[in-house]
Amino acid sequence: MTVNDFSARQTRRRPRLAVAVVEDLVTAIVTEVYPAGSALPPENVLCDMFEVSRTVVREATTALTEKGLVVSQQGRGTIVQGETYWNRLDPMVLGALFQREDGLSYLDNLVEIRVALEASMAAKVARKATDAELAELRAQMDKLAGMVADPAAYIVEDVVLHHMIMRISGDRLSEAIIDGIQGRALSNFAYAGKLSVEHIRDTHDAHQKVYDAILARDPDGAARAMRDHIESSWRKRRPKVIS
């Protein structure tokens, strides 16, 4: 996308709130429509592009500054900062990173983080889950078993199962990290992929192995099963790279 393409797209839109303006500018900066060292368009130009007031543009610029994306320089305007200054854990910045040409590498990194944290949490559940919590997991597994033929419905409850395991683990920090970095990825087709009934069957078998290890109070087995599940599922969904 060029600067002209980006500008033309915005002029066709109705007036938007500051948060939407911020999101569009974050994407433009992270995907290098406005590369590091370049200046954003002047305030009056941004007002025209987004059909918003100067107040909205100023609010958006403040938000971009807080995310580490831009800095105001006397006589130069609002200058785009290099990547080392960006807050990569900011949801908008993360979402834009996943849209870049090298976005697949960020999705790979996300999966690596999930593997490390969720495997550890599964092990904790195997150690500490109460009988009531095991019954809760069993009910969710039964629910999932009835949805294998419906991939769209299964995926929704798949997320519920993973959150259930995270909650029972008691590891609130790891849960917050995963929620923070995965939220934007779930809306990215490259991450979610197109799932078949065959893939869902494999996924359910993998979930069963995690559950069985937890039920057997086998922390190492639960961690291994969760690790294998996440890595295998990503290998199936991961877009093929044509060299």
Side-chain angles (χ1 to χ4, degrees), residues 199-210:
H199 184 182
I200 295 300
R201 287 197 187 98
D202 291 341
T203 296
H204 190 69
D205 288 344
H207 285 156
Q208 188 66 51
K209 290 177 182 177
V210 173

Side-chain angles (χ1 to χ4, degrees), residues 6 41 61 68-70 88 92 126 135 140 146 157 163 209 237:
F6 178 75
T61 302
L69 297 175
V70 301
R88 291 183 180 85
M92 284 189 189
Q140 185 64 16
E157 295 302 325
H163 275 282
K209 290 177 182 177
R237 301 195 316 272

Side-chain angles (χ1 to χ4, degrees), residues 144-215:
L144 285 166
M147 296 179 167
V148 171
D150 185 351
Y154 190 97
I155 289 304
V156 173
E157 295 302 325
D158 179 337
V159 173
V160 172
L161 176 67
H162 280 264
H163 275 282
M164 194 177 290
I165 291 171
M166 288 191 281
R167 172 175 52 79
I168 294 171
S169 78
D171 190 341
R172 298 291 175 260
L173 182 56
S174 293
E175 182 179 11
I177 291 170
I178 291 173
D179 284 347
I181 63 177
Q182 186 172 235
R184 288 295 174 123
L186 288 171
S187 62
N188 186 295
F189 180 76
Y191 183 71
K194 184 177 181 180
L195 301 178
S196 65
V197 172
E198 180 182 4
H199 184 182
I200 295 300
R201 287 197 187 98
D202 291 341
T203 296
H204 190 69
D205 288 344
H207 285 156
Q208 188 66 51
K209 290 177 182 177
V210 173
Y211 171 75
D212 288 344
I214 289 172
L215 190 63

Side-chain angles (χ1 to χ4, degrees), residues 52-242:
V52 295
S53 68
R54 287 179 181 271
T55 299
V56 170
V57 168
R58 287 168 187 164
E59 290 176 3
T61 302
T62 298
L64 294 175
T65 302
E66 291 171 349
K67 297 175 191 298
L69 297 175
V70 301
V71 62
S72 295
Q73 294 185 1
Q74 188 70 28
R76 292 193 63 200
T78 304
I79 306 303
V80 176
Q81 300 227 82
E83 291 188 32
T84 55
Y85 295 95
W86 299 354
N87 177 6
R88 291 183 180 85
L89 292 182
D90 179 272
M92 284 189 189
V93 176
L94 266 175
L97 285 169
F98 295 144
Q99 297 178 48
R100 287 171 30 144
E101 288 186 6
D102 61 347
L104 191 55
S105 67
Y106 287 94
L107 293 173
D108 285 336
N109 196 195
L110 164 59
V111 171
E112 290 171 358
I113 294 169
R114 280 194 62 202
V115 166
L117 296 181
E118 290 200 49
S120 174
M121 286 189 278
K124 289 178 182 177
V125 173
R127 292 189 189 99
K128 68 183 287 289
T130 65
D131 289 344
E133 288 168 337
L134 291 175
E136 187 180 2
L137 288 172
R138 176 70 266 168
Q140 185 64 16
M141 286 297 298
D142 290 342
K143 187 175 185 179
L144 285 166
M147 296 179 167
V148 171
D150 185 351
Y154 190 97
I155 289 304
V156 173
E157 295 302 325
D158 179 337
V159 173
V160 172
L161 176 67
H162 280 264
H163 275 282
M164 194 177 290
I165 291 171
M166 288 191 281
R167 172 175 52 79
I168 294 171
S169 78
D171 190 341
R172 298 291 175 260
L173 182 56
S174 293
E175 182 179 11
I177 291 170
I178 291 173
D179 284 347
I181 63 177
Q182 186 172 235
R184 288 295 174 123
L186 288 171
S187 62
N188 186 295
F189 180 76
Y191 183 71
K194 184 177 181 180
L195 301 178
S196 65
V197 172
E198 180 182 4
H199 184 182
I200 295 300
R201 287 197 187 98
D202 291 341
T203 296
H204 190 69
D205 288 344
H207 285 156
Q208 188 66 51
K209 290 177 182 177
V210 173
Y211 171 75
D212 288 344
I214 289 172
L215 190 63
R217 304 292 186 180
D218 178 3
D220 291 339
R224 183 169 54 253
M226 182 64 81
R227 185 181 303 111
D228 290 346
H229 162 46
I230 295 173
E231 290 178 341
S232 175
S233 181
W234 177 234
R235 282 196 298 271
K236 291 182 175 71
R237 301 195 316 272
R238 190 181 190 275
K240 300 294 186 292
V241 177
I242 301 175

